[in-house]
């Protein structure tokens, strides 16, 4: 997927308002051949690049946070987020941070991509992993309750 533009949205009441995920869900498929019981395997991982999200207002979101995540060796590329305001519940305490990080050890490579797949993220704003050329411009995260998480957490980011 590439060259996606999302602009001018108001979002209310979602758990995790921005979720960009590249996974590897290649599954076998069949041709109409003599032996359709043997699926061909799909070995390649797709790509995700040129994602531009701007002019977005989020209100009353849950405390999960947002994520931009690819896979080891297959980064999400060229993501630009601008003029975004996120207001969410917050409330994650410092003692919860180690368990949040532990949940991310499983890359969940082949699972269906859902914004809540890792539970609350270690960043109250954006968790960015396996990504290249991600830019933030005028992005703010406001929490209703005190939240010990940093605004951004990055892993394997260029």
């Amino acid at each position: 997927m590439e060259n996606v533009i999302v602009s001018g949205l108001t979002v209310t009441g979602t758990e995790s308002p921005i979720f960009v995920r590249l996974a590897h869900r290649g599954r076998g498929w069949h041709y109409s051949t003599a032996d359709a019981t043997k699926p061909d395997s799909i070995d390649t991982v797709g790509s995700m690049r040129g994602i531009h999200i701007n002019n977005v207002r989020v209100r009353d979101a849950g405390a999960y946070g947002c994520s931009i995540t690819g896979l080891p060796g297959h980064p999400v590329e060229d993501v630009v987020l601008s003029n975004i305001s996120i207001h969410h519940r917050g409330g994650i305490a410092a003692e919860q941070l180690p368990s949040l990080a532990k949940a991310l050890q499983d890359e969940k490579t082949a699972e269906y991509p859902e914004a809540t797949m890792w539970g609350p993220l270690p960043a109250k704003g954006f968790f960015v992993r396996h990504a290249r050329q991600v830019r933030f411009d005028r992005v703010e995260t406001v929490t209703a309750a005190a939240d010990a998480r940093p605004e951004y957490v990055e892993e394997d980011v260029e």
Side-chain angles (χ1 to χ4, degrees):
M1 174 167 51
E2 60 185 74
N3 300 324
V4 175
I5 298 172
V6 176
S7 182
L9 297 179
T10 299
V11 179
T12 303
T14 185
E15 189 62 49
S16 179
I18 297 176
F19 177 69
V20 177
R21 171 71 169 151
L22 173 64
H24 181 39
R25 299 190 66 232
R27 295 177 294 269
W29 50 278
H30 304 278
Y31 279 115
S32 296
T33 61
D35 192 359
T37 62
K38 294 183 179 176
D40 293 324
S41 63
I42 299 171
D43 297 345
T44 60
V45 176
S47 64
M48 191 174 260
R49 65 176 56 89
I51 312 296
H52 298 257
I53 302 171
N54 64 72
N55 298 322
V56 175
R57 301 287 169 261
V58 178
R59 302 287 178 258
D60 301 320
Y64 275 56
C66 303
S67 65
I68 299 168
T69 54
L71 295 171
H74 302 279
V76 173
E77 300 180 80
D78 186 26
V79 178
V80 178
L81 297 106
S82 63
N83 198 24
I84 297 173
S85 175
I86 300 171
H87 292 247
H88 71 70
R89 184 172 32 245
I92 302 295
E95 55 270 9
Q96 292 174 273
L97 296 179
S99 64
L100 300 183
K102 185 175 182 180
L104 292 168
Q105 290 176 350
D106 181 0
E107 295 269 355
K108 299 189 179 196
T109 302
E111 290 189 26
Y112 184 82
E114 294 185 80
T116 58
M117 65 195 301
W118 291 291
L121 298 166
K124 64 184 170 189
F126 285 84
F127 173 67
V128 183
R129 174 165 60 182
H130 310 307
R132 181 180 302 138
Q133 298 173 345
V134 176
R135 296 180 300 281
F136 295 92
D137 180 31
R138 295 181 318 277
V139 175
E140 72 167 348
T141 303
V142 177
T143 60
D147 198 302
R149 297 174 292 176
E151 190 83 20
Y152 301 95
V153 171
E154 299 177 341
E155 287 182 10
D156 186 27
V157 174
E158 296 177 31

